Amino acid sequence: MDAQEKCMQVVDEVIRTVRNVAQTEVMPRFLRVGKTRKDDGSLFTEADLACQQALQRDLPQILPHPVLGEEMTREEQDALWAANPDGLWVVDPIDGTTNFVNGLPYFAISVALMVNGISELGVIYNPVSDEMFYARRGKGAYLNGNRLPLKNTRNSMGDAIAAVEIKYLRSGKLAARMSSVAPFGSQRSMGSSTLDWCFLAAGRYDLYLHGGQRLWDYAAGAVILEEAGGRIASLNTDDYWTDTLWKRSAIAALDPELFGHWHRWVRANQ
């Protein structure tokens, strides 16, 4: 087996693992579990914990790296990150928990493999729609076996669909400008950052802006977008992968020309 075949075999094994965990731990609890709130105010359910525990058990059997998950303490996350630069699984067991507990079919399981601070593999699965997005760095991005993006035509800036999460924008000026004179045609905010990355990679969205995502929110989605041909920067730097680890902003677009216009507009309006 050559190196390329080995790379894709790892992706295939992660896909099988994620699909199995969704079927056994997540979907049987959909609309059947109660919710609690963590110290930061975000929602948490039994399904989040069960999914994370299953991924902690299964992913190291594919490649022997530890698992960093959202449902850990910050101290545990810091320790895992510091001790494992040569390989770390990063998982969001259910991204979009508010959607999950309210019956909105827009949530996902997200898995990334990160090496030296950069994502090398990303798998994101919406078990309701059975859409499996995945990428291995240098090998392209796919949805259920179809190469991303799904369409090659692009909207003009005035017709562009932008995924924007207004409440996380640090700058009051940028949030106000986004609401009043934004250059795009239409805006969406659906409640799952990981799926937003995938929809951008697929060409369902044209533009993306987020003021601050957690590591598990961007780890898989960013490599999927890059492998689909998309471009990413942050509000602080054009070198996306070197920005703040635990709360990283994103300016992104699938089309390079649109990215240039979008990047300039966002930076000028901060």
Side-chain angles (χ1 to χ4, degrees):
M1 183 182 297
D2 64 22
Q4 183 170 348
E5 288 174 328
K6 288 181 180 178
C7 286
M8 296 317 293
Q9 182 182 37
V10 170
V11 175
D12 289 342
E13 290 178 8
V14 175
I15 287 171
R16 283 193 293 270
T17 295
V18 169
R19 192 183 299 277
N20 179 66
V21 170
Q23 292 171 347
T24 58
E25 306 297 344
V26 176
M27 292 311 292
R29 293 178 168 92
F30 186 37
L31 297 176
R32 292 180 174 86
V33 293
K35 61 186 178 182
T36 58
R37 288 197 179 273
K38 295 183 284 188
D39 291 341
D40 65 2
S42 60
L43 288 181
F44 169 79
T45 73
E46 173 191 310
D48 294 88
L49 184 58
C51 179
Q52 180 168 290
Q53 290 174 337
L55 293 171
Q56 285 179 274
R57 177 194 68 216
D58 294 342
L59 289 173
Q61 297 180 39
I62 301 172
L63 288 176
H65 302 300
V67 176
L68 184 156
E70 179 182 9
E71 309 309 335
M72 292 177 173
T73 67
R74 181 59 183 271
E75 291 74 20
E76 290 172 319
Q77 293 164 351
D78 283 337
L80 281 167
W81 183 262
N84 297 281
D86 57 339
L88 186 65
W89 296 106
V90 176
V91 307
D92 194 337
I94 301 178
D95 178 45
T97 300
T98 298
N99 289 346
F100 178 79
V101 299
N102 286 285
L104 298 171
Y106 195 80
F107 57 88
I109 300 169
S110 176
V111 174
L113 177 64
M114 300 190 73
V115 179
N116 295 320
I118 297 175
S119 296
E120 296 295 329
L121 176 157
V123 173
I124 296 174
Y125 182 49
N126 180 341
V128 176
S129 63
D130 193 31
E131 289 191 316
M132 184 76 72
F133 298 87
Y134 54 95
R136 182 81 192 230
R137 188 166 294 281
K139 307 299 180 184
Y142 298 84
L143 165 58
N144 293 347
N146 298 305
R147 187 74 180 252
L148 297 178
L150 299 178
K151 61 184 181 71
N152 293 318
T153 57
R154 69 174 177 85
N155 290 324
S156 65
M157 181 60 79
D159 294 324
I161 298 175
V164 180
E165 184 60 82
I166 295 285
K167 71 178 182 179
Y168 290 104
L169 297 179
R170 301 189 304 268
S171 164
K173 174 187 174 183
L174 181 57
R177 298 284 285 176
M178 197 65 60
S179 299
S180 59
V181 293
F184 48 73
S186 184
Q187 179 181 324
R188 299 289 184 272
S189 179
M190 302 287 284
S192 171
S193 296
T194 59
L195 286 177
D196 289 344
W197 285 105
C198 294
F199 276 36
L200 185 62
R204 295 170 179 173
Y205 297 152
D206 301 296
L207 310 170
Y208 190 42
L209 179 66
H210 200 291
Q213 295 181 332
R214 303 299 185 183
L215 173 63
W216 43 86
D217 293 323
Y218 65 78
V223 68
I224 291 172
L225 176 62
E226 287 185 323
E227 286 300 306
R231 300 277 303 279
I232 317 169
S234 77
L235 291 168
N236 304 313
T237 176
D238 290 344
D239 189 355
Y240 177 77
W241 292 102
T242 65
D243 202 5
T244 306
L245 177 68
W246 298 111
K247 193 172 183 181
R248 183 171 296 178
S249 58
I251 306 167
L254 180 61
D255 178 79
E257 184 178 345
L258 275 182
F259 175 81
H261 295 309
W262 180 229
H263 177 273
R264 286 190 294 273
W265 188 91
V266 172
R267 288 285 181 81
N269 286 276
Q270 289 190 79

